[in-house]
Every structure is written in C-alpha cells, then in structure tokens.
Amino acid sequence: MANGAAATVNECRGGFGTYVSENLTLCGQNPRIAWTGYVAAWALFFIINFALPLPEGLKSEGLSVLAILAWACVMWVTEAMPVGITGISIPTLLILTRALPWNNGNPPMGQVFSGFTTHEVWLCLFAFFAGALIQLLGMDKRIALAILDKLKASSVGRIIWGMFWVNVVLAFLIPAANARAATVMPVVQGITKLLGDTPREREAKKAIVIQSMVYASMISGIFILTGHMPNLIMTGLFEKSGFKNLGYFSWMILHVPYVLMFALTQWWVRFHFKTAGVVIAGGHEQIHKQHAALGPMTRPEKAMLAVFGLVGVLFMTGKGSPLSLHQYQLGVVGLVGIMILFIPGLFPFKWKAVQDRTIWGTFLLLGGAITMTDAMSKSGLAGWMAEHIHVLVQGMGWWQTLLVMMLGTQVLRVGMLSNVAAVAMLAPIVFAMGPKLGLHPVAFTLLICNVDTFAYLLPTQITAAVIAYGTGTFSTADYARSGWVCILLAIAFGICVMAPWYALMGLPVWNPAAPWPY
C-alpha cells in the first residue's frame, strides 16, 4: 500500500502545489483545510508576537505565550500538523521566543520541557504500553464479550449498559477515550449487525453506537485518573500549585458520582431513540458463541492480569492514598510498571509490535499540553486572561458563575476537536479565576473542565465521536438532536450533584479558603 501511494505521488506531473495536495489527499487530509490552518496558525503567531501592541498588564513573555497558544489551538483544531508534533513543538517555540527567561544566555530547558517530566506523563506512558500489550493479546475483545455474556445481554438497554461496564474496565487498561472507542468498535458493529432494518431497529443501532462508543468511553474515563488525558493535565496543574497528593484512589472517590451521569444519558437516549422493548434476536446466543470461541485464558493473558493487578495495587496505595503502603508517587509507580512489563520473556511480542500500537502522538500531545499550562501560569498569561474574563461573571453567585462558564465552554468547543487541547487551554485560566471570584480554584477547575468532556453537539468535537461516525450508523443531525440535551444534563449534573459532592469530600467550590483535604 505504501509503495502504491509513493508511486502515485512520483507520477504527479503538476507543480509543487499539486504535489503537496496529492500527498495530503493520500494521507486522508483535506488539502484546503490543512493549508488554511497551517497558514492561519503561523499568521496569528507572528501577528500576536511581533505586531500586536503589548496589552496593559501583560508582560512580553505572556504575549509570546499567547502567540504560541493561538498557534497551537489552530494547529490542533485543523490538524494541519499531527497533534503530537504540535505538542512537542510547544517547548521549541517557548525556546525560540524566549517566552520563559533564559539563564546566563542558556535556554531554560528544564522549564520548557517540564510537561515531559511530570509524574502524570510517565503514569500515562505505562498505561499506553499496557494498552498496547492488551490489544496484542486480544484481551480487550475477551473482556468485552465476557461482560456482555455475563449480563446475558439481548435487549438494547442491556447491551448499552453492558458496553458501559466494558468501557469502565477498559478505562483502567486503555488510557485514551479514542483508543477505547476504536477497541470496542468491532464488537459494537458485530452487535448492530444482528438487528434488522425496521425503523425502530435503525434507531436502536444509532443508540447503541452513540452510547457505547462515545458517551460511555468519555464518562468512564472521568472517574479513573489514567482513563482520560485531561485528568492528568489538571492534576499536574494542581500539583505545581501546591495542591498535592490527589492520588489514584482519591481521584476515583472524588469522581465516582459521574457513573450516574451515564444513567441520565441512557434515560434520555432510550426516550429519544425509542429503544424500550427492542430485542436483538439471538443476541445473547451470538455473544456467548463468540466468547466461547476464544477458549480459556492463555498464560500471557494471565501474566498481564497479574502485572496489572500488582501495579494497580501500587497505584491505589501510594502517596496521598487513604491506605498508604508506600511513599512513591504515581509516575514512579508507572516507571516501575514499565520495567515489569518488559521483563525478558514475560510476553511473546517483539518491541516493534508494542511500539507500533503505543499512542506516541497522544503522549507527545499530553507533554506539550502540560508544558503549555505551566507556561501560561509562569508567564502571567493565565492570570491576565482570568482578570479579563472574570469581569463577565463578577458579582454572580457560585452556581450562576458555574452555569455561565459551563455554557461558554461548550460554545468554545464547537470548533475544537481535541478535549485534551481544550482543557490544556482552559485549566490554567479557570484555576487563576477561582480566587478572584471567591471560589475554590481546584473545585472550580474540575467542575468547568469536566463539563468540557460532554461536548456532544457535533461528532467533530470528540475524536471518539469521529470514530463512531465512521461506522455510518448515524448522521450529524441524529448526533446533535441527541447530544444537546446530554450537554444540558451534564451542566445540571455538575452544579446540582458534583458541586455538593466535592464539598462533602472537602472541596467546597464556594469556599476558597477550605483546607486541602489530601
């Protein structure tokens, strides 16, 4: 395939523009969108950095970081460059623009690459390696079929709830929502093929795909620290701001009510797509047959479970955990886990097979995003932006502020694909706004940024939704009609359920002086 693509490019008889356009088309990109985004990103970078007058109250370093932020956002939205390359380019631009002060003529390499030295990044890398091995072993399919078989899933409702618990289990093992959506896609497509083509069954297919591949993959990641990249961005920001020891187990307890959010979305989806009473003929029998065909667990699969069980215990009993058995932070445990995964002969795979399935682009994106949040704080940009934005909600009560900010976040997300990129931009600004508004910075940041996860208006807002849309089961109109109500439910849930729950856990959003409970 690669050779065929190269031959096509080599046969191009047009000019350089045609050559570039054909290459982009062969890579599955729209040449117009890619080049428009690329030019616009660099235009914004140079205009902000060199032509824009220095705004009052903002230092020149902050203006440079603003230029880099605008450049990165446009690159991320249009995907003119791979998201991982954009991530690793952020430290490069911080050096070239001197957005962070140099020391005796030397660039501050430790600061500009700080996002790649946090505990969150190394925790994430362990999860990526573990996810790659799980996919090589075929354990992802075994887990999905085992849960569905155990639940005797045959009705649409049981299938959807079964796929939710599949996503929950996979969230411990596969850290990215888009990777989980891609993992369950073959299972979901196999289930939908068992349905017929009546109007009710077509609607049921839409409900199964949207709930199983999008809503379930996003919601399951929120309450598992490594299950959702924005979680790691926020904990990294909190750690550097003095709010330490929010560990794996503590994070889970803090966010476990979000499981109820899936019940709300399922209630709405069931009503909207009218799936009540729709049964999949032979559904459980087919699932049971596929599960039985896998045979008993292999020794490598048992080894993987043992490794993950050991590392999981270490994650939940480390520094900051209610049951603390050791004082090592999550990143150190992750690095130890990597060493265990690659004990010679433990698994029958070559390194190339593992690295080909490791999500390196997301790893680079995460490191760059954390670097960006750090640079926004250190340069004063986050505080300056917070100063200007907080005027819009000044004088409002805490719940009114949350409502306005949550709605504003959803408007902002209409044109942005990456949830990670959006939270990297929002988190430091919202964190700085909290004290100015008399709100707890950690609780405020969590409430606003977690709602960003529920950007369900268009499939192009979430990578998992793009993958689901690729199945051809639903239209953008189907997705929007279902999604807008889910967005409102998420906002109401954040204000009415999560804010009081955070307060019960020692993080009252209305009290900025509350002692840190961890």
Side-chain angles (χ1 to χ4, degrees):
M1 191 73 178
N3 292 336
T8 304
V9 173
N10 289 336
E11 289 170 7
C12 174
R13 299 179 183 278
F16 180 73
T18 305
Y19 166 78
V20 170
S21 295
E22 286 193 2
N23 283 343
L24 286 168
T25 302
L26 287 168
C27 293
Q29 288 184 272
N30 183 311
R32 183 178 59 82
I33 293 176
W35 268 102
T36 299
Y38 190 78
V39 172
W42 284 112
L44 279 172
F45 174 80
F46 284 109
I47 290 170
I48 294 173
N49 208 28
F50 300 108
L52 190 71
L54 187 65
E56 184 179 352
L58 184 65
K59 297 183 292 185
S60 59
E61 290 86 355
L63 188 63
S64 294
V65 173
L66 178 61
I68 297 169
L69 175 64
W71 176 88
C73 285
V74 174
M75 287 293 189
W76 278 327
V77 168
T78 62
E79 293 191 300
M81 285 169 46
V83 293
I85 300 303
T86 300
I88 197 66
S89 297
I90 289 170
T92 307
L93 292 176
L94 288 171
I95 293 172
L96 295 176
T97 59
R98 301 198 177 208
L100 295 177
W102 286 34
N103 302 315
N104 299 320
N106 297 312
M109 301 300 285
Q111 290 186 52
V112 297
F113 284 99
S114 61
F116 293 88
T117 60
T118 63
H119 286 280
E120 289 74 22
V121 164
W122 302 112
L123 168 64
C124 178
L125 186 59
F126 164 77
F128 283 167
F129 282 141
L133 286 166
I134 283 165
Q135 290 176 31
L136 282 167
L137 290 166
M139 289 179 68
D140 45 3
K141 184 178 180 181
R142 182 185 292 278
I143 291 166
L145 291 173
I147 292 174
L148 292 172
D149 191 11
K150 193 74 174 176
L151 291 174
K152 297 185 177 354
S154 56
S155 68
V156 172
R158 279 195 173 224
I159 290 287
I160 288 174
W161 270 107
M163 291 308 300
F164 172 69
W165 293 113
V166 167
N167 273 279
V168 169
V169 174
L170 291 179
F172 285 98
L173 309 172
I174 301 175
N178 56 343
R180 290 195 295 277
T183 296
V184 302
M185 184 171 70
V187 177
V188 171
Q189 286 181 305
I191 292 170
T192 56
K193 285 177 183 176
L194 299 174
L195 284 162
D197 199 39
T198 66
R200 288 195 72 193
E201 287 174 312
R202 285 198 297 270
E203 293 296 291
K205 290 178 184 179
K206 296 173 186 177
I208 290 171
V209 172
I210 291 173
Q211 276 282 65
S212 303
M213 293 182 62
V214 186
Y215 298 176
S217 67
M218 300 304 290
I219 294 172
S220 63
I222 290 181
F223 76 99
I224 298 168
L225 183 59
T226 55
H228 196 42
M229 295 302 100
N231 300 349
L232 301 176
I233 292 173
M234 288 188 283
T235 54
L237 174 65
F238 302 155
E239 185 87 12
K240 289 183 177 180
S241 303
F243 297 96
K244 300 179 182 293
N245 300 328
L246 182 52
Y248 202 96
F249 186 73
S250 300
W251 178 275
M252 189 182 299
I253 297 300
L254 194 60
H255 290 90
V256 73
Y258 270 114
V259 174
L260 299 175
M261 184 63 208
F262 189 79
L264 286 178
T265 62
Q266 173 57 2
W267 163 79
W268 164 246
V269 167
R270 177 186 170 95
F271 172 79
H272 176 69
F273 288 111
K274 299 178 174 57
T275 63
V278 179
V279 177
I280 301 174
H284 176 243
E285 290 78 6
Q286 288 294 323
I287 290 168
H288 179 72
K289 186 183 296 183
Q290 291 180 40
H291 184 213
L294 294 177
M297 286 188 67
T298 62
R299 292 181 72 179
E301 288 177 313
K302 291 177 181 177
M304 186 69 228
L305 279 182
V307 171
F308 208 89
L310 172 62
V311 176
V313 170
L314 293 176
F315 278 150
M316 295 189 182
T317 57
K319 192 172 182 180
S321 170
L323 179 61
S324 181
L325 300 180
H326 62 87
Q327 292 301 303
Y328 295 109
Q329 291 179 296
L330 293 175
V332 177
V333 174
L335 289 169
V336 171
I338 292 172
M339 294 173 66
I340 296 172
L341 285 175
F342 292 97
I343 291 174
L346 190 60
F347 299 106
F349 305 114
K350 294 181 179 179
W351 165 246
K352 187 177 188 309
V354 178
Q355 72 171 7
D356 286 349
R357 288 165 178 78
T358 301
I359 317 171
W360 295 109
T362 305
F363 174 75
L364 295 175
L365 167 62
L366 177 62
I370 294 175
T371 295
M372 176 64 80
T373 62
D374 193 34
M376 288 176 69
S377 298
K378 288 181 177 176
S379 67
L381 175 63
W384 179 81
M385 294 181 77
E387 190 68 40
H388 285 74
I389 295 172
H390 99 278
V391 174
L392 302 174
V393 291
Q394 196 168 20
M396 294 183 180
W398 67 269
W399 69 268
Q400 295 167 307
T401 301
L402 287 175
L403 178 61
V404 172
M405 291 294 295
M406 287 174 174
L407 289 170
T409 297
Q410 291 298 323
V411 172
L412 175 71
R413 282 285 274 114
V414 168
M416 185 174 285
L417 171 66
S418 174
N419 181 219
V420 179
V423 172
M425 179 183 69
L426 284 170
I429 299 171
V430 175
F431 186 84
M433 281 180 65
K436 298 177 187 295
L437 295 168
L439 302 174
H440 195 290
V442 173
F444 187 50
T445 303
L446 289 171
L447 288 165
I448 301 301
C449 292
N450 281 339
V451 163
D452 180 87
T453 296
F454 300 95
Y456 292 162
L457 191 60
L458 298 172
T460 51
Q461 292 177 279
I462 300 172
T463 307
V466 173
I467 295 169
Y469 182 71
T471 65
T473 309
F474 59 87
S475 67
T476 54
D478 292 324
Y479 189 82
R481 283 194 290 266
S482 168
W484 74 271
V485 174
C486 291
I487 291 172
L488 296 181
L489 287 172
I491 291 172
F493 191 85
I495 295 172
C496 300
V497 177
M498 293 310 301
W501 177 258
Y502 286 159
L504 187 64
M505 295 292 103
L507 293 175
V509 67
W510 48 80
N511 182 7
W516 182 240
Y518 303 104

